[in-house]
Amino acid sequence: MPPSVRAAETGPVSLRERSQALARTVMVLALAALGLWILHPFLPALVWAAILAIALWPLYARAEARFPPRGHNIALPSLFTALVALVFLAPLVVLGVQAAREAHDALAWARAAEQTGIPAPELLSHLPFGAAQATAWWNATLSHPSAGSELLHRLDNSTAIGLTKSLGSEIVRRTVLFGFTLVTLFFLFRDGRAVTGQALAASAKLFGPRGERVARQMVASIHGTVDGLVLVGLGEGFLLGIVYYFAGVPHPVLLGALTAVAAMIPFGAPLVFGIAALLLLAKAAMVPAAIVVVAGFVVTFVADHFVRPALIGGTTRLPFLWVLLGILGGVETFGLLGLFLGPAVMAALMLLWREFTGGKATAS
């Protein structure tokens, strides 16, 4: 067959194949964009479910090996999902009960302040200088009934109502997202192996072996971040809660729990133990307040400069600077999700950079 005839027969076929490949690519991108647009209100719930599933998968795999699934495999995923819900909901219930009690005390204080004014705190009399002037100013300004009544009436009722409505709508939205997170987490536990296999197969087809290495590095980063942020934060809250108790801080258990949550964010714990120290200063307990501050800085310094870098950086093979920038930048961009997404993205970028520059690739 002459070459011109062969080219005429194969040319249109090749052009048609390229056109079909381009059309398929456009269709896939369009459908992916449409799917993301439909799911975007629930993307945080899906990402949280994926992070929780990755973090808890080693424990789930051990439980699954000890109690092999039977039938529809519902019992074990339901149990793990219920435990996750309990871990998140139990502290919220405790905080809600404590807040209700504090609201009752705050209302009683407001009524007393409206009738008798706001008495000068004992701390003013223990100031190293200017104690007499500060006490005299407080008594002249805030210690009479008219001052307390004027201060309380500055609160705008419409503003308070608007704040309550916005807070209520936000609570409803967060509750719905948490519900979807739990539902997604159940299915990830039940079908986790199949989802993992499909994700690895898709990654191998799209990116080759490098894609699987990046995926495994990001998973390892999430494990390291959970250990470095969550577990270390819980440890900080436990230790400082003991310090609060012996120092005489009001509600040491509640403040210890708040410290644990705040400690998961870099530089968040000083805000809480600073409040604890101020509560002691309000009671003129100078030495216990100083002990709380010193103990807080010692615990957070050891955790932030030794324990966390070893846990997160050792798993992700990231220098501490990039761990810190990943966490802070992730929180700034994605909120709490950024605590885990930031280091994961930094770990993937560092792996790609090492491979690009000829460094030794990590396949952990």
Side-chain angles (χ1 to χ4, degrees):
M1 182 180 294
S4 59
V5 177
R6 188 181 300 113
E9 291 182 356
T10 59
V13 174
S14 177
L15 178 61
R16 184 168 61 251
E17 288 178 352
R18 288 199 298 268
S19 300
Q20 289 175 349
L22 179 60
R24 284 196 301 269
T25 303
V26 172
M27 182 184 67
V28 169
L29 293 176
L31 288 176
L34 181 61
L36 290 175
W37 182 71
I38 293 173
L39 294 177
H40 82 274
F42 305 102
L43 286 179
L46 299 178
V47 176
W48 272 119
I51 290 174
L52 291 172
I54 291 172
L56 297 175
W57 189 257
L59 294 177
Y60 181 82
R62 293 179 186 176
E64 192 178 43
R66 185 175 180 82
F67 304 100
R70 297 177 181 178
H72 297 289
N73 189 22
I74 294 178
L76 198 59
S78 300
L79 176 61
F80 267 74
T81 304
L83 291 176
V84 170
L86 184 63
V87 167
F88 281 94
L89 292 179
L92 292 178
V93 171
V94 174
L95 290 176
V97 173
Q98 190 64 42
R101 293 176 180 175
E102 294 297 331
H104 180 271
D105 296 340
L107 182 60
W109 176 87
R111 290 175 177 172
E114 190 172 9
Q115 295 175 359
T116 62
I118 305 174
E122 188 179 355
L123 172 65
L124 294 180
S125 60
H126 293 81
L127 291 176
F129 54 88
Q133 293 84 348
T135 303
W137 176 86
W138 190 287
N139 291 331
T141 307
L142 299 174
S143 292
H144 52 87
S146 59
S149 178
E150 179 183 357
L151 180 63
L152 293 173
H153 281 92
R154 289 181 181 177
L155 297 176
D156 188 1
N157 290 331
S158 60
T159 303
I161 293 174
L163 180 62
T164 303
K165 288 182 178 179
S166 61
L167 181 61
S169 62
E170 185 67 17
I171 291 176
V172 171
R173 190 179 74 86
R174 298 283 181 179
T175 303
V176 172
L177 288 178
F178 183 66
F180 276 100
T181 300
L182 294 179
V183 172
T184 307
L185 184 62
F186 167 81
F187 286 105
L188 287 178
F189 280 139
R190 194 191 69 175
D191 306 320
R193 299 185 187 281
V195 172
T196 302
Q198 293 170 2
L200 290 177
S203 175
K205 288 182 178 180
L206 291 174
F207 308 108
R210 180 176 297 178
E212 182 176 348
R213 288 197 297 269
V214 170
R216 292 187 182 278
Q217 184 71 3
M218 294 181 73
V219 169
S221 172
I222 291 177
H223 283 297
T225 305
V226 169
D227 294 339
L229 293 182
V230 178
L231 298 183
V232 174
L234 293 176
E236 289 185 48
F238 176 76
L239 293 177
L240 290 179
I242 295 176
V243 175
Y244 298 156
Y245 176 79
F246 286 104
V249 178
H251 311 298
V253 176
L254 177 62
L255 283 175
L258 292 176
T259 303
V261 174
M264 297 177 190
I265 304 174
F267 314 114
L271 177 63
V272 182
F273 69 71
I275 293 175
L278 290 177
L279 292 176
L280 291 174
L281 286 176
K283 299 191 301 182
M286 307 291 290
V287 175
I291 292 175
V292 167
V293 172
V294 172
F297 277 115
V298 169
V299 170
T300 55
F301 180 84
V302 172
D304 292 340
H305 291 81
F306 296 99
V307 182
R308 275 185 176 143
L311 290 175
I312 302 178
T315 303
T316 61
R317 301 181 184 273
L318 276 177
F320 175 70
L321 175 63
W322 293 108
V323 173
L324 182 62
L325 292 177
I327 292 173
L328 295 179
V331 170
E332 177 68 22
T333 305
F334 301 106
L336 289 179
L337 279 174
L339 287 174
F340 308 96
L341 294 180
V345 173
M346 290 295 106
L349 290 175
M350 185 60 67
L351 174 63
L352 294 175
W353 174 255
R354 286 169 179 161
E355 291 188 352
F356 179 74
T357 55
K360 184 177 179 180
T362 58
S364 58

